[in-house]
Amino acid sequence: MDKLQNGADVLFILLGAIFILAMHAGFAFLELGTVRKKNQVNALVKILTDFAVSGIAYFFVGYAVAYGVDFFSGAKVLAAKSGYELVKFFFLLTFAAAIPAIISGGIAERAKFHPQSIATFLLVGFVYPFFEGIAWNQHYGVQGWLKATFGAEFHDFAGSVVVHAVGGWIALPAVLLLGARRGRYHKDGAISAHPPSSIPFLALGAWILIVGWFGFNVMSAQKLENISGLVAINSLMAMIGGTLVATWMGKNDPGFIHNGPLAGLVAVCAGSDLMHPIGALFVGGMAGALFVAMFTVTQNRWKIDDVLGVWPLHGLCGAWGGIAAGIFGLESLGGMGGVALMPQVIGTLLGISVALVGGFVVYGTLKATVGIRLDAEEEFNGADLSIHKISATPERETSW
């Protein structure tokens, strides 16, 4: 029976890893559809290579930083208990690799390729697992202190803060240090629109992410015996809430409509195992509103050229999700209980702080040493031709 249980757990978490691995195709197509045509190839290549670099960084460094586990043992040792720890690594790697995938959308169209790969290694190897270990592996006594002081630990079931807020708040320094795309903002205050190149690809990316998210959230249980239908329904309701509010506030704009469900899903991750479905619907709806409002403010008023809006979508909605778990997870609001507001606020602020410091240090150092931005001619020609020597529409270059 033990062997059967171990095998079932391995299969369960393996399926979760595959679901989230598929989400990286969603990241790729969401970015591909949003950027201009001359940067579509770069969008696809970045996500795949960033995942590969993340795999090396997390295997050799990051997983040990977060969990104190390394893989420098014989295969017989590693394969014990059906190799559950190996598949758990694969599952958690897909979370870690979401960090550069999130950042990629913010820095699109003007970032150098190889410096971003260096940033990916440093972030996935050191910055992300530092906070991951605090939140999910009791590092440095933070969770113990929160429990002793406020009666509850910081709760983040599936990564609203650990993954999404951290990724979004790392992206903010990267975007600021890069600066806006050339021609986006003008000295006289005018703003040039850079419309999405392909709404169908943007929508495809959003749908792939939506479907994969049910592996992201539900399979964060990590063992079959811990699976919860409540997580699935709460994810569904948050997705619906985010979609409807973004549709209304975004005035039927397809970019907002397809990012609305993602905002809701980002926000519900932390408390998806605690909330009542009506609470999840509200949390998702608030996230949809937050994304539309703050995307508009950052792009048009603050003139921060965050191409896919990853700071509002992941950074702000992730932070809202972390705090919301401490509100809508309370029994008095129909939740499961076992949480408190102050640990959620403190844990969320800690995650934001780690992300901001890590983002500024990594991207600031790279900017000062090797540079992180394409030059004016390279950016004008597009990242596809400048970096990869081919465009997404090569027939244009070969036709007479």
Side-chain angles (χ1 to χ4, degrees), residues 11-70:
L11 179 60
F12 176 73
I13 200 170
L14 174 61
L15 291 174
I18 292 169
F19 264 93
I20 307 169
L21 178 61
M23 289 177 71
H24 288 266
F27 282 119
F29 278 95
L30 186 68
E31 183 175 335
L32 181 155
T34 304
V35 299
R36 291 170 291 178
K37 285 187 176 181
K38 61 183 179 179
N39 299 293
Q40 288 182 325
V41 171
N42 183 244
L44 293 171
V45 172
K46 276 193 301 178
I47 300 299
L48 182 57
T49 54
D50 277 344
F51 188 91
V53 172
S54 297
I56 294 296
Y58 203 61
F59 185 87
F60 287 104
V61 184
Y63 198 61
V65 171
Y67 299 102
V69 176
D70 64 61

Side-chain angles (χ1 to χ4, degrees), residues 80-335:
K81 294 186 178 180
S82 303
Y84 177 81
E85 282 298 328
L86 292 175
V87 183
K88 181 180 176 181
F89 158 78
F90 179 18
F91 179 75
L92 291 171
L93 165 63
T94 60
F95 281 64
I99 299 297
I102 290 167
I103 296 167
S104 177
I107 64 175
E109 301 201 6
R110 74 273 200 206
K112 287 184 176 180
F113 186 67
H114 293 301
Q116 172 56 20
S117 295
I118 296 171
T120 293
F121 186 92
L122 295 173
L123 294 169
V124 175
F126 299 96
V127 178
Y128 167 78
F130 174 77
F131 183 69
E132 181 186 16
I134 292 173
W136 287 344
N137 199 38
Q138 301 291 325
H139 280 192
Y140 309 111
V142 175
Q143 292 285 34
W145 175 78
L146 291 173
K147 176 77 172 178
T149 307
F150 302 104
E153 296 181 350
F154 170 64
H155 182 87
D156 189 356
F157 180 70
S160 285
V161 177
V162 176
V163 178
H164 297 286
V166 168
W169 284 89
I170 290 174
L172 181 60
V175 170
L176 293 175
L177 289 167
L178 269 172
R181 289 168 290 177
R182 289 177 173 84
R184 181 79 171 99
Y185 303 114
H186 303 275
K187 292 181 180 180
D188 61 2
I191 301 174
S192 295
H194 287 359
S197 60
S198 174
I199 295 298
F201 276 136
L202 185 157
L204 175 63
W207 271 110
I208 293 171
L209 286 166
I210 289 167
V211 173
W213 224 295
F214 287 86
F216 197 98
N217 284 4
V218 175
M219 288 163 174
S220 284
Q222 297 192 18
K223 292 198 173 183
L224 191 59
E225 62 183 348
N226 297 328
I227 192 171
S228 170
L230 180 65
V231 176
I233 297 305
N234 282 342
S235 301
L236 177 68
M237 296 304 288
M239 182 205 80
I240 290 170
T243 303
L244 293 176
V245 172
T247 301
W248 171 61
M249 287 190 60
K251 300 178 181 179
N252 304 325
D253 183 295
F256 286 135
I257 291 171
H258 286 94
N259 277 284
L262 308 184
L265 286 162
V266 164
V268 82
C269 288
S272 57
D273 62 328
L274 301 175
M275 299 177 189
H276 188 281
I278 296 175
L281 179 67
F282 182 83
V283 169
M286 285 294 293
L290 183 62
F291 171 71
V292 173
M294 292 308 299
F295 180 89
T296 303
V297 168
T298 54
Q299 295 282 335
N300 298 336
R301 185 178 302 173
W302 296 347
K303 296 183 179 178
I304 298 173
D305 194 14
D306 177 356
V307 180
L308 268 68
V310 299
W311 178 64
L313 179 64
H314 297 275
L316 295 182
C317 292
W320 157 240
I323 295 168
I327 302 171
F328 293 93
L330 299 173
E331 289 188 60
S332 58
L333 290 177

